[in-house]
Amino acid sequence: MIAEINSPGIAHIGNMMQCQTALERAIERNANLPGMVCFYGPSGWGKSLSSNYLCNQMRGYYIQVKSIWSKKVILQKILGEMGIKPAQTTGEMLDQVCDQLSASQRPLVIDEMDHVVDKKAVELVRDIYEGSQAPILIIGEENLPQKLKKWERFHGRILAFVPALPVDLEDARRLSSVYAPGIDCADELLRKLVADSHGSVRRVCVNLDQIREAAAEHGAKGIDLGWCKAHNVTFYSGEAPKRRVV
């Protein structure tokens, strides 16, 4: 169990704890319970960064699936994370993955699980779990739990579905120390960033970086909404820019 997350360049936001809870539920489960956990939520909410960091802390294996990956490539990438030379056939590679997970009982984290669903490779992940009984965390978009219902045997082996949390004021305070270090951002300003972000950690980070650049340009150390308005600092909310017609 990770008691405290406090590393340079890493903000201990709410979704870090959500992801940690999900991983620990799979790791510390009763032996008779299923060992797969699903962490899901909209894009930009910090799922990948949180899971990648925590997986490293727990000495797990992490892959972020790409849209073009086949079952064979997925197995090759997992074996690459394990430092194991892949065998010739997919069946042999599956055995290699299962044997290593079973022996080590380290967690396997599969990010962008939606691509696995789209490729109809869900049963491969179930095969890995059944062959190893190791803790597996799958991560995907908001509709991933509904997508998985199509695969009843897989869906029934999920111990818990853990939702990602929208960014909040406390998250914004923690993020400001990483993305706008040395700058005192007023709470009214951070509340504005949270409101404009619509839950996205990524948008808050982008806006904090804009504030950092503006503060550096003007030599400012304390920033509030009034200062931003006076210096024409605008915030990104995810809306597409409107076309200007001359």
Side-chain angles (χ1 to χ4, degrees):
M1 182 176 185
I2 301 174
E4 181 66 24
I5 303 166
N6 187 23
S7 296
I10 296 294
H12 189 181
I13 61 174
N15 276 329
M16 192 76 77
M17 288 301 298
Q18 282 290 91
C19 186
Q20 181 176 339
T21 298
L23 263 173
E24 289 177 348
R25 287 195 67 175
I27 292 169
E28 299 170 1
R29 73 191 189 280
N30 183 290
N32 296 319
L33 293 176
M36 291 194 289
V37 176
C38 177
F39 184 43
Y40 67 98
S43 176
W45 284 31
K47 303 185 302 297
S48 294
L49 180 62
S50 297
S51 59
N52 196 351
Y53 174 74
L54 285 165
C55 188
N56 287 332
Q57 295 297 299
M58 295 181 174
R59 299 178 65 242
Y61 305 112
Y62 173 92
I63 63 165
Q64 187 175 66
V65 180
K66 308 303 181 187
S67 61
I68 64 171
W69 285 6
S70 63
K71 294 178 184 179
K72 181 177 181 179
V73 173
I74 291 172
L75 290 170
Q76 288 173 335
K77 295 297 183 179
I78 295 173
L79 288 169
E81 277 289 294
M82 294 174 168
I84 298 173
K85 182 180 179 180
Q88 293 296 316
T89 69
T90 53
E92 290 171 325
M93 284 190 282
L94 175 60
D95 288 341
Q96 286 178 300
V97 169
C98 292
D99 290 345
Q100 177 61 23
L101 287 174
S102 180
S104 67
Q105 282 301 298
R106 295 184 187 181
L108 172 63
V109 177
I110 302 176
D111 198 357
E112 300 289 357
M113 182 69 184
D114 294 85
H115 292 319
V116 178
V117 175
D118 294 340
K119 290 287 184 178
K120 295 181 171 54
V122 172
E123 286 298 313
L124 172 63
V125 179
R126 189 177 73 86
D127 287 339
I128 293 172
Y129 171 68
E130 293 292 356
S132 67
Q133 296 296 303
I136 297 178
L137 175 67
I138 59 172
I139 302 167
E141 299 298 316
E142 194 168 12
N143 292 326
L144 180 59
Q146 285 70 41
K147 290 181 180 180
L148 291 173
K149 287 182 178 180
K150 183 178 178 180
W151 285 269
E152 184 178 347
R153 292 188 299 175
F154 186 95
H155 194 272
R157 285 167 174 78
I158 302 291
L159 176 65
F161 290 93
V162 180
L165 302 173
V167 67
D168 61 16
L169 177 60
E170 185 57 35
D171 288 339
R173 290 187 183 123
R174 292 178 181 272
L175 290 165
S176 68
S177 68
V178 174
Y179 292 92
I183 299 171
D184 182 16
C185 294
D187 275 358
E188 63 167 353
L189 171 59
L190 296 178
R191 288 191 184 95
K192 170 68 172 172
L193 298 188
V194 169
D196 285 355
S197 73
H198 304 294
S200 172
V201 173
R202 185 180 298 135
R203 289 180 190 141
V204 170
C205 295
V206 168
N207 288 323
L208 284 169
D209 189 63
Q210 289 185 197
I211 290 169
R212 178 194 60 77
E213 287 186 355
E217 181 181 350
H218 296 281
K221 293 296 182 181
I223 306 294
D224 58 16
L225 270 177
W227 189 94
C228 289
K229 290 177 181 177
H231 292 82
N232 297 316
V233 179
T234 57
F235 303 128
Y236 172 62
S237 64
E239 296 293 330
K242 294 180 179 179
R243 183 183 178 190
R244 291 170 141 189
V245 180
V246 178

